[in-house]
Amino acid sequence: MNKSIKNICCIGAGYVGGPTMAVIADNCPDITVNVVDINKDRIESWNSSNLNELPIYEPGLDKIIERRRNKNLFFSNKVQENISNADMIFISVNTPTKKKGLGAGKASDLKWVEACARQVARFAKGYTIVVEKSTLPVKTAEVIKTILEAAELNNACKNLKFEVLSNPEFLAEGTAINDLEFPDRVLIGGENEDAILSLHKIYRNWVPEEKILHTNIWSSELAKLTANAFLAQRISSINSIGALCEATGADVREVARAIGTDSRIGSKFLDAGPGFGGSCFKKDILNLVYLSEYFGLPEVANFWEGIVKFNTWHQHRLSRLIIKKLFGTVSGKKICILGFAFKANTNDTRESAAINICKDLIEEGAILFIHDPKVDPKQIEIDLEKKEKYSNNKLKNQTQTLSEGGWYSTKNIIDSSDGADAIVVLTEWEEYGQLDWEEISRKLRKPAWVFDVRSIIPYDKIKALDLNFWKIGDGSK
Ligand code: NAD
Ligand code: UGA
């Protein structure tokens, strides 16, 4: 049954559902795209007339929303109605690591995916193609299929018919729109040629034919986990070499450049930093670990688990290093943290390295002034599991009144460096590469340290100043 798609419903209006559907709507003006979510606040923000209030900060997204919203792109909480009207349904809900029960700490929690499948089974009409957009463990399609097939049998009179496809998303936050517009590849896994063709046709509106890959459904599910595992593995690899560079006098950027010119290795994803963050790398590797254990492959499981363990060790290594450089104690010392998002150009803080590093420093009694251009201080409060100390700006600058072991949010880097012992750059926001170091240096309490964990600070701007400088993976200074 070759189906021409006129009406899409996407369940889940998050970091994937929102941008992905916006780009589909933008490239397929004849298709109506309904993005639904159970979270009322999120949908309200997607519908806000102020485009600065969209729930997700992603460069270029606001322009597409402005162009397509309420034309062929709609955001609502009407889950049931939009499932009923859809020819094709994307499941784009969260799949976090299970917190309790079987597989806790490793396996993905599929309760939201299962809930979606049950909603689809209940409300869909006629022939519907169900697309897994969430990142899912291998064989999840089977779970979805089983639920949908039960609905087909129980509602024989409704002529229900489902096909399930896997179409994992490879976008990275901060570059999501570009990644969606110009993907390296689009992956479609499935068994039914007609269903595959229906989805293929949608992507063909803007993606070249040769970039749309077809595989069986399990390869598609596993390819997504594998891609994230390989990418994360590169980061742990380069960070491990960075630690060795610091110990030996080498510079990790030079090593990365030297190995990156080998076309078999490639130059991307070799930036040493505070360790990978984001909602997916850790979760997806742990999922791979769980699957490997489940299928009786403990050596495979251990291999991948090492990548996550190293990443956590690396983050704590950085906290310890900062403390050591500040004479072995940060108790009562003021430290400016630049950047809290897990990478630049996103407001997402999930699994950000800044969380572990800030928690460690607070635990040791430091007073942190945290700056991030896009992250809401309320989110920092949730992540650090600690309330901000004062909200009164005046008090914030009177360091003598500060008690140890807490944090403050700040919008003014210069003011907050007043009396601080250190500046720590944790996210590579462009503006941190353009700071007025002369002015900051005048404000800092000497001897002061600058910790550049993202290699973003131009050394020539600070080398003449009375500052100690440490850069990730640089043993040459
Ligand atoms: P998210 O938490 O930002 O969004 C998920 C949304 O689904 C939430 O708004 C939640 O309210 C909604 N939801 C949950 N159950 C629902 C239900 N039954 N009905 C309606 N709405 C429901 O998550 P995300 O970052 O968009 O990730 C979604 C999936 O995509 C995950 O599997 C993730 O691994 C994968 N992924 C994420 C990224 C990324 O960059 N964030 C990239 C590629 C793939
Ligand atoms: C990652 C993948 O890049 C996407 O392809 C994938 O779709 C997505 O996960 C997902 O499944 O969620 P994302 O986490 O948004 O995307 O961002 P990345 O650019 O991959 O960065 C992840 C983390 O690694 C960040 O903390 C980043 O700062 C860090 N990183 C990245 C480095 O430390 N060094 C690098 O060279 C690259």
Side-chain angles (χ1 to χ4, degrees), residues 169-173 224 228 231 235 269-271 275-277 280-281 284 342-343 454:
E169 185 47 63
F170 295 97
L171 69 80
E173 289 177 31
K224 172 62 197 175
N228 276 358
L231 291 169
I235 300 167
F269 256 69
L270 286 178
D271 293 331
F276 57 79
C280 296
F281 279 176
D284 293 348
F342 80 96
K343 63 185 282 196
R454 290 287 190 171

Side-chain angles (χ1 to χ4, degrees), residues 170-182:
F170 295 97
L171 69 80
E173 289 177 31
T175 53
I177 301 304
N178 192 63
D179 295 344
L180 288 162
E181 293 282 3
F182 307 100

Side-chain angles (χ1 to χ4, degrees), residues 343-414:
K343 63 185 282 196
N345 295 319
T346 178
N347 59 344
D348 196 348
T349 63
R350 290 178 289 179
E351 297 293 340
S352 176
I355 300 173
N356 273 342
I357 294 172
C358 289
K359 275 186 172 174
D360 285 350
L361 295 174
I362 290 172
E363 179 69 28
E364 290 285 326
I367 303 150
L368 304 184
F369 278 60
I370 303 177
H371 178 274
D372 191 288
K374 291 291 173 196
V375 175
D376 187 337
K378 286 196 207 98
Q379 186 57 49
I380 301 179
E381 195 160 291
I382 294 167
D383 291 332
L384 295 181
E385 300 170 283
K386 201 171 179 74
K387 281 200 171 306
E388 190 177 359
K389 287 231 167 184
Y390 305 111
S391 53
N392 181 333
N393 269 324
K394 271 194 193 151
L395 278 174
K396 283 183 183 181
N397 294 324
Q398 296 169 4
T399 42
Q400 63 276 25
T401 66
L402 305 175
S403 52
E404 60 187 54
W407 71 278
Y408 305 79
S409 65
T410 176
K411 287 285 166 216
N412 190 322
I413 298 171
I414 302 279

Side-chain angles (χ1 to χ4, degrees), residues 182-227:
F182 307 100
D184 285 344
R185 71 343 210 146
V186 164
L187 185 54
I188 303 177
E191 286 152 3
N192 181 290
E193 283 303 321
D194 288 335
I196 292 172
L197 195 62
S198 297
L199 184 56
H200 184 111
K201 271 189 186 160
I202 294 177
Y203 283 110
R204 274 298 287 118
N205 283 297
W206 76 99
V207 180
E209 182 75 23
E210 66 278 10
K211 293 205 166 181
I212 307 178
L213 312 183
H214 298 182
T215 64
N216 79 35
I217 204 155
W218 322 126
S219 303
S220 171
E221 288 178 340
L222 187 56
K224 172 62 197 175
L225 294 181
T226 308

Side-chain angles (χ1 to χ4, degrees), residues 12 26 31 91 112 128 216 250 271 348 376 473:
D26 207 29
I31 298 179
I91 297 182
W112 291 274
T128 311
N216 79 35
D271 293 331
D348 196 348
D376 187 337

Side-chain angles (χ1 to χ4, degrees), residues 9-13 33-40 42-44 46-47 69-70 73-83:
C9 170
C10 174
I11 310 179
V33 181
N34 285 289
V35 189
V36 297
D37 204 294
I38 40 177
N39 182 332
K40 287 203 162 56
R42 214 165 210 192
I43 291 297
E44 249 173 52
W46 278 114
N47 284 322
R69 196 173 55 189
N70 299 330
L73 175 65
F74 302 88
F75 294 91
S76 81
N77 300 113
K78 294 177 192 157
V79 179
Q80 172 177 342
E81 183 185 320
N82 284 301
I83 288 177

